Amino acid sequence: MLFTEQDHHYMARAIKLAEQGRFTTTPNPNVGCVLVNDQQIVGEGFHQRAGHGHAEVNALLMAGDKAHGATAYVTLEPCSHYGRTPPCAEGLKKAGVSKVIAAMVDPNPQVSGKGLAILAEAGIEVGAGLLEPQARELNRGFLKRMEQGLPFVSCKLACSLDGKTALNNGQSKWITGPLARQDVQLFRAQSCAILTGADTVLIDNAKLNVRAAELPIALPTDLPLRQPVRVIIDSQNRLTPDLALFSIPSDIIILTTELDNQQQWPHFVSHKVLPANNHKVDLLAALQWLAQQQFNQLWLEAGATLAGAMAEQNLIDEYIIYMAPKLIGNSGKSLVNFAELTKMDEISSLTFKHCEQIGGDLRITAVAESQLDSDEFNRKE
């Protein structure tokens, strides 16, 4: 199918709508839908929350009878299976739309190609691939989980201009400024889970929650703020219930190698025993298990040891580094720790994707080689 300039315009609108669900839809993908009849938008909507109406359902409700004969622009192939809501492909067919254009085919094996097939068999013209790179970027965590059985991992780091994260005595508050810390809250809010290690919790007495008052923007929906699940790797069972982390009643998962039944944990805390690798939680096994629990996007906010171990095993997709215009010198601690390299070809190669000034600091986004193809459109903008 050849796409027109108008097709591009309406699909871009659908993608903007889909972005409004990025704080609330987990574990579902972000999806937007625009219904156009006689060159007029007659209905539009986006998926707000798992178990609630999908984007197509909300657009059809807005359009009413005007959906008959309309073209539907959807950022992801309409679903074809019964889950918590009926299939959207059937809803579009029943409404009498004449054409459905999807930005991409759904990688979910339950859906892939079946939604478009239902529509085509009903005599509805279908097409796919319009603004697909942008649609993939919108749901990169969901797509990685479906295609590779792993969540998308973003690693947050903060450092001085000379690459140091703290003084030798552990003091690190604050290297970056308040606007950078607010920016971190926005990334946390968009993540399915925040992943860290016991060291970070113990040293910083960190809570690792989203603080709504510090968000730099107002959330785009009326839905309540969704706290990401806090996932803590505690291989040696060093955490105790009196820590500040457990003062906030939202879901916490502790990953360990051996269950400790000596502590009395709050009801919102659960434990998962995972295989050990050198007496520590096997990190690949941890990510695979989290993907099985339907976590799409992980925000890794940890110390140099865990960040280094994840980097060494190529388990990080994206680095988000906040760099402050400060110099700490030889007394400081480095960003990541892993085994010493002896050859230049052993060095991990990254590509700078984006750089932006946040207050007095820089936010640098660098991606791993595995992300280069999917991010190509970003570098061309």
Side-chain angles (χ1 to χ4, degrees):
M1 178 184 290
L2 295 176
F3 301 119
T4 67
E5 185 176 341
Q6 281 190 326
D7 290 333
H8 281 78
H9 171 76
Y10 293 125
M11 186 61 79
R13 171 62 183 166
I15 287 173
K16 283 291 184 184
L17 287 167
E19 289 175 352
Q20 295 185 55
R22 67 192 188 276
F23 299 98
T24 54
T25 61
T26 182
N28 290 355
N30 301 306
V31 183
C33 177
V34 174
L35 293 170
V36 178
N37 204 338
D38 195 23
Q39 300 183 356
Q40 297 291 323
I41 294 177
V42 295
E44 61 182 24
F46 65 96
H47 182 43
Q48 296 184 0
R49 195 174 186 179
H52 291 209
H54 287 189
E56 299 93 324
V57 171
N58 294 329
L60 288 170
L61 283 172
M62 180 178 175
D65 293 341
K66 294 179 181 179
H68 187 81
T71 295
Y73 297 88
V74 192
T75 58
L76 190 66
E77 175 185 7
C79 63
S80 59
H81 66 291
Y82 284 87
R84 287 195 257 182
T85 57
C88 291
E90 294 290 349
L92 291 167
K93 183 174 75 172
K94 185 177 179 180
V97 301
S98 62
K99 184 189 296 186
V100 175
I101 299 176
M104 61 175 293
V105 174
D106 194 326
N108 186 340
Q110 291 183 292
V111 178
S112 188
K114 297 176 183 176
L116 293 176
I118 289 172
L119 297 166
E121 289 168 5
I124 297 169
E125 188 178 359
V126 298
L130 176 61
L131 301 186
E132 181 170 352
Q134 291 88 331
R136 289 189 66 87
E137 175 75 4
L138 186 64
N139 286 307
R140 57 191 186 174
F142 176 76
L143 295 174
K144 188 178 180 189
R145 178 166 67 86
M146 288 294 166
E147 295 169 351
Q148 301 180 38
L150 292 169
F152 187 98
V153 179
S154 298
C155 178
K156 174 258 180 181
L157 300 167
C159 65
S160 61
L161 193 60
D162 53 349
K164 303 303 171 62
T165 63
L167 302 178
N168 277 341
N169 61 12
Q171 291 186 35
S172 62
K173 294 182 179 180
W174 295 102
I175 290 178
T176 55
L179 293 183
R181 299 197 293 275
Q182 289 176 20
D183 199 56
V184 169
Q185 295 297 311
L186 194 61
F187 281 104
R188 284 184 179 182
Q190 295 177 71
S191 302
C192 303
I194 299 171
L195 177 64
T196 194
D199 281 343
T200 295
V201 176
L202 292 168
I203 294 170
D204 297 339
N205 202 17
K207 295 179 180 178
L208 296 169
N209 62 313
V210 176
R211 298 184 289 274
E214 295 181 27
L215 287 170
I217 64 169
L219 298 187
T221 72
D222 294 330
L223 293 170
L225 176 67
R226 175 192 59 83
Q227 287 288 347
V229 177
R230 291 167 289 169
V231 180
I232 320 300
I233 297 177
D234 184 17
S235 302
Q236 309 304 321
N237 292 313
R238 292 182 292 153
L239 298 183
T240 55
D242 59 318
L243 292 164
L245 180 78
F246 304 105
S247 66
I248 297 173
S250 66
D251 288 347
I252 294 173
I253 301 173
I254 298 176
L255 306 181
T256 186
T257 57
E258 185 176 352
L259 196 59
D260 179 7
N261 295 316
Q262 302 302 312
Q263 303 285 358
Q264 295 295 318
W265 297 99
H267 67 89
F268 52 85
V269 178
S270 61
H271 289 74
K272 175 62 179 177
V273 176
L274 290 171
N277 183 353
N278 197 24
H279 306 293
K280 295 182 179 180
V281 168
D282 185 298
L283 295 177
L284 177 58
L287 294 189
Q288 290 171 334
W289 183 79
L290 289 169
Q292 291 166 7
Q293 309 313 303
Q294 298 188 308
F295 289 95
N296 298 325
Q297 189 95 16
L298 296 186
W299 179 252
L300 175 61
E301 194 167 329
T305 300
L306 179 55
M310 293 278 287
E312 195 170 24
Q313 296 181 44
N314 296 316
L315 297 177
I316 297 173
D317 299 288
E318 172 184 74
Y319 295 83
I320 298 179
I321 304 166
Y322 294 88
M323 181 173 285
K326 299 174 181 177
L327 297 173
I328 292 179
N330 292 334
S331 63
K333 296 187 176 182
S334 298
L335 279 172
V336 294
N337 294 333
F338 49 74
E340 182 180 353
L341 304 178
T342 58
K343 298 178 181 178
M344 288 298 293
D345 58 10
E346 295 176 340
I347 296 174
S348 298
S349 294
L350 304 174
T351 294
F352 289 128
K353 175 182 172 182
H354 186 70
C355 183
E356 181 177 351
Q357 186 163 349
I358 307 293
D361 307 311
L362 290 181
R363 185 184 69 210
I364 300 169
T365 304
V367 296
E369 289 183 350
S370 61
Q371 292 300 310
L372 294 182
D373 292 340
S374 62
D375 289 331
E376 183 66 28
F377 80 94
N378 285 315
R379 298 196 301 278
K380 291 180 180 179
E381 287 182 341

